[in-house]
Amino acid sequence: RRAQLPLTQAIIQFAGADVQGLMVSEDITLGYDHAVNEQLAFRLEGYLQRISDVPVSMPMFNTPYHVSLLNTWDDPAFLPLLQEGSGSNRGVELSVTHNFASGYFYQANVSGFESRYTTYDGTEFPTRWDAGWIANAMGGKEFEKKKEDRVRTWGVSARLYAMGGQRYTPINVVQLNGFPVVGFSDAPFSAQQADFFRADLRVYLKKDRKARTGQWALDLQNATNAQNEAFRYFDQRKGEVVIKYQLGLIPNLSYRVEF
């Protein structure tokens, strides 16, 4: 059981608003570890978190869009708030780890989870973070060659990252006297973006000498140039809701020297 201040930078003070206390989180975790040998180990973990005293929007303005600071990223809440909300997170995770040995290593995990929040009147909705599942895998291999005055090491590593799409509140567009009027759905965070996938690749050459170590590295971020959704917005020029995508392939060549 622990407590912390809410994101005060996201709170706009209004007359009648009451956000002065701490949010309270109650957590329970149950895990099982199994070591196959000195390098390889498995872990299974289940968890449950309940959060109370969460600042949520007050019942005014007759708006169906319910604001909770559990969904706040970096934007302020321009509504009066009261600490009458709550939230919960629950899930299970399976992971496997092979420590670096015989020139290689790898790690992988997969998690299924559910994230919910409640509004001032007790209505429950999915949070913006309720993607449903996450999977990661990473590994690497090194090839070492020793000479009298130096050690040369070639290495390659990769990371695969996939998850369910982030949730968003659908945008509603209606025509009023020939002009589009943009609003949000009555069901916050009821829609999901397409599943997210990203692969990163690194190739490097490291030379160890008595006085210094130098390393060249080529990193390919989003090596498959996957088109992952970032957000949606209404484009006034096109007159429709448009999907904005994240960055594609990003190559990065670097050199590092250590003395």
Coordinates of all heavy atoms in Angstrom, one line a residue, residues 6-21 55 58 69 76-83:
P6 N -1.0 13.3 -7.0 CA -1.4 13.2 -8.4 C -0.5 14.2 -9.3 O 0.3 15.0 -8.7 CB -2.8 13.7 -8.4 CG -3.0 14.5 -7.2 CD -2.0 13.9 -6.2
L7 N -0.6 14.1 -10.6 CA 0.1 15.0 -11.4 C -0.4 16.4 -11.3 O -1.3 16.9 -12.0 CB 0.0 14.6 -12.9 CG 0.6 13.2 -13.2 CD1 0.3 12.8 -14.6 CD2 2.1 13.1 -12.9
T8 N 0.2 17.2 -10.4 CA -0.3 18.5 -10.1 C -0.1 19.5 -11.3 O -0.9 20.4 -11.4 CB 0.4 19.1 -8.9 OG1 1.9 19.0 -9.1 CG2 0.1 18.3 -7.6
Q9 N 0.8 19.2 -12.1 CA 1.0 20.1 -13.3 C -0.1 19.9 -14.3 O -0.3 20.8 -15.2 CB 2.4 19.8 -14.0 CG 2.4 18.4 -14.6 CD 2.9 17.3 -13.7 OE1 2.8 17.5 -12.5 NE2 3.5 16.3 -14.3
A10 N -0.9 18.9 -14.2 CA -2.0 18.7 -15.1 C -3.4 19.2 -14.5 O -4.4 19.1 -15.1 CB -2.2 17.2 -15.4
I11 N -3.3 19.8 -13.3 CA -4.5 20.2 -12.6 C -4.7 21.7 -12.8 O -3.8 22.5 -12.4 CB -4.5 19.8 -11.1 CG1 -4.4 18.3 -11.0 CG2 -5.8 20.3 -10.4 CD1 -4.2 17.8 -9.6
I12 N -5.8 22.1 -13.3 CA -6.2 23.6 -13.4 C -7.2 23.8 -12.2 O -8.2 23.2 -12.2 CB -6.8 23.9 -14.7 CG1 -5.9 23.5 -15.9 CG2 -7.1 25.4 -14.8 CD1 -4.5 24.2 -15.9
Q13 N -6.8 24.7 -11.3 CA -7.6 25.0 -10.2 C -8.9 25.8 -10.6 O -8.8 26.9 -11.2 CB -6.8 25.7 -9.1 CG -5.7 24.9 -8.5 CD -6.3 23.7 -7.7 OE1 -7.4 23.7 -7.2 NE2 -5.5 22.7 -7.5
F14 N -10.0 25.3 -10.2 CA -11.3 26.0 -10.4 C -11.9 26.2 -9.0 O -11.7 25.5 -8.0 CB -12.3 25.2 -11.2 CG -11.9 25.1 -12.7 CD1 -11.0 24.2 -13.2 CD2 -12.5 26.0 -13.6 CE1 -10.6 24.2 -14.5 CE2 -12.1 26.0 -14.9 CZ -11.2 25.0 -15.4
A15 N -12.8 27.2 -9.0 CA -13.6 27.4 -7.7 C -14.5 26.1 -7.5 O -15.2 25.7 -8.4 CB -14.5 28.6 -7.9
G16 N -14.4 25.6 -6.4 CA -15.2 24.4 -6.1 C -14.4 23.1 -6.3 O -14.8 22.0 -5.9
A17 N -13.3 23.1 -7.0 CA -12.5 21.9 -7.2 C -11.7 21.6 -5.9 O -11.4 22.5 -5.1 CB -11.4 22.2 -8.3
D18 N -11.5 20.3 -5.6 CA -10.9 19.9 -4.4 C -9.9 18.7 -4.7 O -10.3 17.6 -4.7 CB -12.0 19.4 -3.4 CG -11.4 19.0 -2.1 OD1 -10.2 19.3 -1.8 OD2 -12.1 18.4 -1.3
V19 N -8.7 19.1 -5.0 CA -7.6 18.1 -5.2 C -6.5 18.5 -4.3 O -5.6 19.3 -4.7 CB -7.2 18.1 -6.7 CG1 -6.1 17.1 -6.9 CG2 -8.4 17.8 -7.6
Q20 N -6.4 17.9 -3.1 CA -5.4 18.3 -2.1 C -4.8 17.1 -1.5 O -3.7 17.2 -0.9 CB -6.1 19.1 -1.0 CG -6.7 20.4 -1.5 CD -7.3 21.3 -0.4 OE1 -7.2 20.9 0.8 NE2 -7.8 22.4 -0.7
G21 N -5.4 15.9 -1.6 CA -4.9 14.7 -1.0 C -4.0 13.8 -1.9 O -3.7 14.2 -3.0
P55 N -8.2 12.0 -9.0 CA -8.9 13.2 -9.5 C -9.7 12.9 -10.8 O -9.1 12.4 -11.8 CB -7.8 14.2 -9.7 CG -6.7 13.8 -8.8 CD -6.8 12.3 -8.8
M58 N -15.7 16.8 -12.5 CA -16.9 17.0 -11.7 C -18.1 16.9 -12.6 O -18.0 17.2 -13.8 CB -16.9 18.4 -11.0 CG -15.7 18.5 -10.0 SD -15.6 20.2 -9.4 CE -17.2 20.5 -8.6
L69 N -7.3 11.6 -14.2 CA -5.9 11.9 -14.3 C -5.1 10.6 -14.5 O -3.9 10.6 -14.8 CB -5.3 12.5 -13.0 CG -5.6 14.0 -12.8 CD1 -4.7 14.7 -11.8 CD2 -5.5 14.8 -14.2
P76 N -2.9 19.3 -19.6 CA -3.6 19.6 -18.4 C -5.1 19.3 -18.6 O -5.6 19.2 -19.7 CB -3.4 21.1 -18.3 CG -3.1 21.6 -19.7 CD -2.4 20.5 -20.4
A77 N -5.8 19.1 -17.5 CA -7.2 18.8 -17.5 C -8.0 20.1 -17.3 O -7.9 20.7 -16.2 CB -7.6 17.8 -16.4
F78 N -8.6 20.6 -18.3 CA -9.3 21.9 -18.2 C -10.7 21.8 -17.7 O -11.6 22.4 -18.3 CB -9.3 22.6 -19.6 CG -7.9 23.1 -20.0 CD1 -7.2 22.3 -21.0 CD2 -7.3 24.2 -19.5 CE1 -5.9 22.7 -21.4 CE2 -6.1 24.6 -19.9 CZ -5.4 23.9 -20.9
L79 N -10.8 21.0 -16.6 CA -12.1 20.8 -16.0 C -11.9 20.8 -14.5 O -10.9 20.3 -14.0 CB -12.8 19.5 -16.5 CG -13.3 19.5 -17.9 CD1 -13.8 18.0 -18.3 CD2 -14.5 20.4 -18.1
P80 N -12.9 21.2 -13.7 CA -12.9 21.0 -12.3 C -12.8 19.6 -11.9 O -13.4 18.7 -12.5 CB -14.2 21.7 -11.8 CG -14.6 22.5 -12.9 CD -14.2 21.9 -14.1
L81 N -11.9 19.2 -10.9 CA -11.7 17.8 -10.5 C -12.0 17.6 -9.1 O -11.8 18.5 -8.2 CB -10.2 17.5 -10.8 CG -9.7 17.6 -12.3 CD1 -8.2 17.3 -12.3 CD2 -10.5 16.7 -13.2
L82 N -12.5 16.4 -8.8 CA -12.7 15.9 -7.4 C -12.0 14.6 -7.3 O -12.0 13.8 -8.2 CB -14.1 15.8 -7.1 CG -14.9 17.1 -6.9 CD1 -16.4 16.8 -6.6 CD2 -14.4 18.0 -5.8
Q83 N -11.5 14.3 -6.1 CA -10.8 13.0 -5.9 C -11.8 11.9 -5.5 O -11.8 11.3 -4.4 CB -9.7 13.1 -4.8 CG -8.6 13.9 -5.3 CD -7.4 13.9 -4.3 OE1 -7.2 14.9 -3.6 NE2 -6.6 12.8 -4.3

